[in-house]
Amino acid sequence: MTSGKPQERKGPKIKEIHITPIAVVDPPLLNAAGLHAPYALRTIVELVTEDNISGISEIPGNTSINADLEEAKALVIGKDPFQLNSIKRDLENHFGKESAHLRGDAPWDQRKLVHIFSAMEVACLDIMGKVTARPVVDLLGGKMRDRVPFAAYLFYKYEGAGGKLEFNTDPNAIGWAAARQAAALDPAGIVAQAQAMCREFGFQSIKLKGGAFEPRQEVDAMFALREAFGPEVPLRFDPNAIWKLETGIEYGRKMEGILEYLEDPVRGQENMAKVRRALKTPLATNMCTTSFEDIPSGIALGSEDIILSDHHFWGGLKASMELAKICETFGRDLSMHSNSHLGISLAAMVHLGAALPKPPYPLDTHYPWQSDEVIEGGRFKFEEGAIEVPQEPGLGVELDRQALAQLHQNFLDCGLTKRDDQVEMQKVIPGWQFQAVRW
């Protein structure tokens, strides 16, 4: 007869945690918050067990999160990587639970606990996969598709490809390499960028990041894309919630019939619900419904049709699978948000996209904009806009130690400590200020 107390099965304990901040080359891309810096910051987390099995993850980087990760080491070292519930409880007890309002007004998420736990969870799942000789997709319930589709992600941008010389250009570049460094500030530039990206990667749908210019200019770009690609290529548009309510309704109506969905035209669930009632076009969000506590009011108000998940911001891969079930229950669709990521985050997105029970909209990805990589074997290859699900144990990717060291040196050399698109924009337009609602 056994007692009611759960019996812990002995497994490999985590003995080391390595936290490596890196900086990766990023072009001068425009958005509602300003301008991308010449480098995007990421943090690579590596957990090593007593039997020297390594698990890795990647999250958006800044020095504050890095300090929190260092603090979290004492809570995670000595833990069994299979005991994620216990790890999460200890992190919550130490750092405290976070409310959705801590996300901030910027287009990116400024909470820390979701970043910390997602970093630990993905690395633990990588270890679990290697211990069990199964890919992460199997740990999420199993593979529902062999390939995961992505969308072309267009940006208004200044000339240049990022890095040490922010406006560096190669006069001999052709194809996507040339488009990646070219300026794109008008509809013709956006169409040229889309054509080059789709030729290079085979994307079957297109998204434009807006919020950088007045609405008429950006809406004209959407109609130019429709003219260039025809109705068979789905289009999406994201003004980053910078429009006023009346602007969202006015220009949303103008684009009815050409958009697959309109993402975050306005700020807040109540305004999103008003736009949703005024339009026939589905609304997607990565800014008004961004946590589980947001979901009841989002459902009650009817603020969106599609939630754009992000395992970095929703608390990991397993939490994202829970989100998919909630979306299915309440008649919502699901896709994925992206940030300036490398192959570790991309691999995690692919495993999650393959495990989702319902085929997602093609996922967002900044990956074509990045030129660096931190995984062995170089960068992932897209075929017809999709990536094949890795079959190797765990995430199916391993750290390139030499590349990691070089990208860490980039971090030390560039002097950036956090993402601040307003500061970068002020280098081009002195005095420029971010406004949560501009037009």
Side-chain angles (χ1 to χ4, degrees), residues 96-385:
K97 292 189 176 182
E98 293 173 312
S99 297
H101 76 274
L102 294 175
R103 183 190 191 280
D105 286 335
W108 56 90
D109 196 309
Q110 300 171 69
R111 292 171 291 174
K112 64 181 179 181
L113 185 59
V114 288
H115 289 82
I116 294 169
F117 181 70
S118 71
M120 298 300 177
E121 186 225 42
V122 170
C124 285
L125 287 169
D126 192 23
I127 291 171
M128 291 184 215
K130 292 171 181 176
V131 170
T132 60
R134 305 302 292 262
V136 164
V137 64
D138 287 355
L139 306 180
L140 300 177
K143 187 168 61 174
M144 300 295 289
R145 55 202 60 86
D146 293 325
R147 303 197 314 160
V148 175
F150 289 82
Y153 200 165
L154 311 181
F155 280 83
Y156 289 98
K157 69 181 293 291
Y158 294 130
E159 183 182 5
K164 289 182 179 179
L165 300 174
E166 184 174 349
F167 298 103
N168 66 62
T169 57
D170 176 2
N172 298 313
I174 59 173
W176 172 240
R180 185 176 170 272
Q181 67 188 23
L185 300 172
D186 57 19
I190 290 297
V191 168
Q193 184 186 107
Q195 289 170 333
M197 188 182 283
C198 290
R199 278 196 300 267
E200 178 76 15
F201 302 100
F203 294 124
Q204 307 295 310
S205 59
I206 296 172
K207 171 180 171 176
L208 173 62
K209 172 70 76 178
F213 297 107
E214 60 88 18
R216 180 73 264 175
Q217 179 176 341
E218 297 186 345
V219 170
D220 284 348
M222 296 309 301
F223 278 96
L225 287 167
R226 178 61 179 263
E227 177 69 21
F229 286 87
E232 62 273 13
V233 176
L235 301 178
R236 314 166 187 174
F237 180 57
D238 173 18
N240 262 158
I242 204 170
W243 286 353
K244 298 174 183 177
L245 175 60
E246 56 268 29
T247 306
I249 293 173
E250 176 187 355
Y251 285 98
R253 284 175 173 163
K254 289 182 186 300
M255 291 185 288
E256 281 186 341
I258 73 163
L259 293 184
E260 180 180 36
Y261 63 70
L262 176 60
E263 178 182 342
D264 286 313
V266 293
R267 188 169 295 276
Q269 289 182 333
E270 291 187 0
N271 281 338
M272 283 283 285
K274 291 175 182 176
V275 174
R276 186 171 178 256
R277 288 194 293 270
L279 302 183
K280 299 175 183 177
T281 304
L283 296 190
T285 186
N286 164 59
M287 295 183 69
C288 81
T289 300
T290 61
S291 70
F292 287 97
E293 68 180 284
D294 288 332
I295 291 174
S297 57
I299 298 299
L301 290 166
S303 55
E304 72 279 319
D305 302 278
I306 304 151
I307 293 179
L308 301 177
S309 66
D310 186 322
H311 70 273
H312 306 91
F313 302 160
W314 281 84
L317 299 177
K318 287 182 173 289
S320 299
M321 291 297 293
E322 294 173 9
L323 174 62
K325 183 62 176 177
I326 292 172
C327 286
E328 182 181 1
T329 300
F330 290 99
R332 299 296 187 264
D333 286 321
L334 187 72
S335 189
M336 283 188 218
H337 164 262
S338 166
N339 44 53
S340 301
H341 59 84
L342 296 180
I344 303 173
S345 284
L346 183 60
M349 291 175 68
V350 170
H351 283 284
L352 175 58
L356 293 172
K358 182 179 178 181
Y361 287 90
L363 314 183
D364 291 350
T365 181
H366 286 62
Y367 198 66
W369 291 108
Q370 316 312 140
S371 55
D372 293 316
E373 190 48 282
V374 74
I375 58 174
E376 291 181 349
R379 294 173 60 77
F380 273 94
K381 300 293 190 296
F382 290 86
E383 294 184 3
E384 297 180 340

Side-chain angles (χ1 to χ4, degrees), residues 408-423:
H408 178 58
Q409 190 62 49
N410 284 358
F411 171 79
L412 298 175
D413 292 343
C414 76
L416 296 171
T417 60
K418 64 178 181 178
R419 180 176 175 180
D420 194 331
D421 290 17
Q422 177 175 274
V423 166

